[in-house]
């Protein structure tokens, strides 16, 4: 009887876990590297892991980056640059060699899930649109030959420039001059169950037409809706309007079930004098509201409740990008790995913006090391806090007030709290990948005083952690989903 009860209980537990874990679209971050002052890939991987970012997009297949993300649990979207499309489209051997030398040696330790073949090719000055689908087909075939075509999805990213109309959303239509390019591409995506990838930037819609688009509408902050006259659907933000224009354009071509993935979206933190909306506050507002929109599965007016995966652009400012100042300032982090503004990637926490030179501990709270954290995690977090985290760790050096007790958990607690207080005393600033925990009991002792305030940068350069440990409903990795599914099937469950 006990065995039978266990056989019933275990599948039910697994099904519950499976149901909870699979909820929600996910939020990733783009890792562009068009700069000469960025940290090394291994340090970037540490930063990403520390802040519990699970999904990262890069724009090539740089070997150092692939190596750096090995065994991190981060799912990686890699890219074939436009400059490689000719070689990839011409000869299968070129693609096979690329796969053999640049991908297979690092997979599956590096969890590659998508390959973007070309990026926003309709914006390219070179006429490379005709090369995209042939290159995609060859990449897919190369993956198929090694049995990875179902694990690594192949697609290509697009800008809104692929559209001829995007307003009202119900009138969304692709530009007819790209028909010969889009038709085989869409057929490929459907056949191989790959997503249609698009980069959406309400910032540009506002910047280029501020007389017609309000800033609040672009920032998800509008209290007034824009009505689509054809459908009666009400839009309270530009992002939804742009996304639904894509949906309607696809439906117009009878591609009603094709999944859309937003591979770039964000807001610049700085711009030229005329780009007055490019500020840290607006960037924080847009990205915070976007994250909540995604995590809550808000969907769009035309697709309510739709799960949509989004990648925020970008991890760092990129000082070598051409164009207006805003083009170089989309980052979440400075090159020294401190945050440009406070951001909660979970979409559930409160966002605090530090506006003064000093900050006092919120509600008399402190951050200490968790007794459940492993020594490895504590040491890694301590090293980061005293290094890239810019914490003054002199107090835990020999002969200093907080050196004794000379234990890892004591030293980590002091460093964690210093970082926490310096960064607004928010939940995310006490994350440390789950190694930190908040307390309302003052951990100070004898001459070792745990600060409740600390010198900070100005409001335009607030340091903050990006994301705490996953909460209920956070998206799991594909591997965990697969494992749970297999377990469910072993117990004879049918998952609808």
């Amino acid at each position: 009887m006990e065995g039978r009860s266990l056989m019933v209980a275990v599948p039910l537990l697994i099904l519950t876990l499976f149901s909870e874990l699979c909820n929600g679209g996910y939020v990733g971050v783009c890792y562009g590297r068009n700069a000469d002052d960025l940290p090394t890939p291994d340090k970037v991987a540490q930063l990403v892991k520390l802040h519990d970012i699970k999904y990262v997009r890069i724009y090539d297949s740089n070997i150092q980056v692939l190596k750096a993300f090995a065994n991190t649990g981060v799912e990686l979207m890699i890219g074939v640059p436009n400059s490689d499309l000719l070689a990839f489209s011409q000869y299968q051997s070129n693609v096979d060699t690329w796969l053999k030398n640049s991908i297979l040696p690092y997979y599956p330790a590096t969890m590659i899930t998508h390959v973007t073949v070309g990026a926003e090719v309709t914006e390219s000055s070179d006429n490379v649109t005709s090369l995209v689908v042939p290159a995609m087909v060859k990449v897919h075939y190369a993956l198929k030959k090694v049995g990875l075509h179902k694990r690594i999805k192949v697609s290509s990213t697009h800008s809104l420039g692929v559209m001829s109309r995007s307003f009202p959303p119900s009138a969304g239509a692709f530009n007819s001059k790209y028909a010969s390019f889009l038709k085989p591409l869409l057929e490929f995506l459907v056949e191989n169950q790959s997503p249609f990838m698009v980069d959406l930037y309400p910032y540009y819609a506002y910047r280029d037409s501020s007389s017609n688009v309000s800033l609040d509408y672009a920032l998800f902050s509008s209290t007034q809706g824009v009505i689509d006259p054809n459908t009666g659907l009400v839009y309270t933000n530009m992002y939804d309007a742009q996304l639904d224009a894509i949906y309607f354009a696809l439906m117009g071509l009878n591609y009603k079930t094709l999944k859309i993935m937003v591979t770039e979206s964000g807001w610049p933190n700085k711009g030229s004098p005329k780009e007055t909306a490019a500020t840290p506050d607006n960037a924080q507002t847009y990205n915070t509201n976007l994250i909540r929109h995604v995590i809550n599965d808000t969907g769009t007016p035309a697709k309510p409740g739709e799960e949509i995966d989004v990648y925020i652009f970008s991890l760092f400012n990129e000082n070598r990008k051409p164009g207006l100042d805003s083009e170089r300032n989309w980052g979440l982090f400075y090159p020294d790995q401190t945050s440009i503004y406070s951001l909660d990637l979970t979409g559930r926490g409160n966002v605090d913006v530090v506006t003064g030179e000093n900050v006092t501990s919120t509600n008399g709270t402190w951050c200490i090391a968790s007794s459940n954290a492993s020594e490895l995690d504590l040491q890694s977090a301590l090293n980061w806090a005293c290094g890239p985290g810019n914490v003054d760790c002199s107090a835990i050096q020999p002969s200093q007030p907080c050196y004794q007790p000379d234990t890892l958990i004591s030293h980590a607690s002091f460093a964690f709290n210093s970082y926490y207080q310096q960064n607004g005393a928010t939940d995310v600033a006490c994350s440390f990948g789950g190694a930190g925990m908040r307390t309302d009991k003052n951990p100070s002792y004898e001459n070792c005083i745990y600060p409740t305030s600390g010198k900070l940068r100005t409001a335009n350069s607030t340091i903050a952690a990006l994301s705490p440990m996953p909460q209920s409903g956070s998206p799991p990795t594909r591997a965990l989903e697969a494992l749970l599914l297999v377990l469910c099937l072993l117990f004879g469950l049918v998952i609808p």
Side-chain angles (χ1 to χ4, degrees), residues 263-283:
T263 40
E264 286 182 13
S265 194
W267 197 278
N269 58 70
K270 182 182 178 182
S272 61
K274 291 184 179 181
E275 295 179 293
T276 56
T279 68
D281 285 349
N282 286 341

Side-chain angles (χ1 to χ4, degrees), residues 283-359:
Q284 180 193 49
T285 297
Y286 178 83
N287 284 328
T288 297
N289 289 334
L290 172 63
I291 290 167
R292 288 173 179 165
H293 201 63
V294 173
I295 296 298
N296 293 336
D297 286 338
T298 306
T300 68
K303 293 271 192 174
E306 184 83 359
E307 296 179 7
I308 303 166
D309 303 329
V310 175
Y311 287 77
I312 292 178
F313 188 86
S314 178
L315 199 59
F316 298 104
N317 288 338
E318 297 175 79
N319 65 5
R320 294 179 61 186
K321 297 187 89 172
L324 298 174
D325 286 352
S326 62
E327 292 300 315
R328 293 176 286 282
N329 291 283
W330 292 80
L332 304 177
F333 289 93
Y334 291 107
D336 66 2
Q337 302 179 63
T338 58
S339 295
I340 296 172
Y341 50 86
S342 179
L343 187 65
D344 174 17
L345 203 67
T346 68
R348 294 180 175 87
N350 294 322
V351 178
D352 299 329
V353 181
V354 180
T355 56
E357 187 68 11
N358 295 289
V359 65

Side-chain angles (χ1 to χ4, degrees), residues 16-36:
T16 301
L17 290 171
F18 187 88
S19 174
E20 288 181 358
L21 287 169
C22 288
N23 286 338
Y26 67 73
V27 177
V29 180
C30 300
Y31 170 25
R33 305 194 314 281
N34 194 359
D36 57 18

Side-chain angles (χ1 to χ4, degrees), residues 231-252:
T231 62
L233 296 173
V234 179
Y235 291 84
T236 58
N237 63 80
M238 174 61 74
Y239 173 87
D240 279 352
Q242 291 180 339
L243 194 52
D244 270 357
I246 298 289
Y247 278 128
F248 279 107
L250 289 171
M251 285 191 286

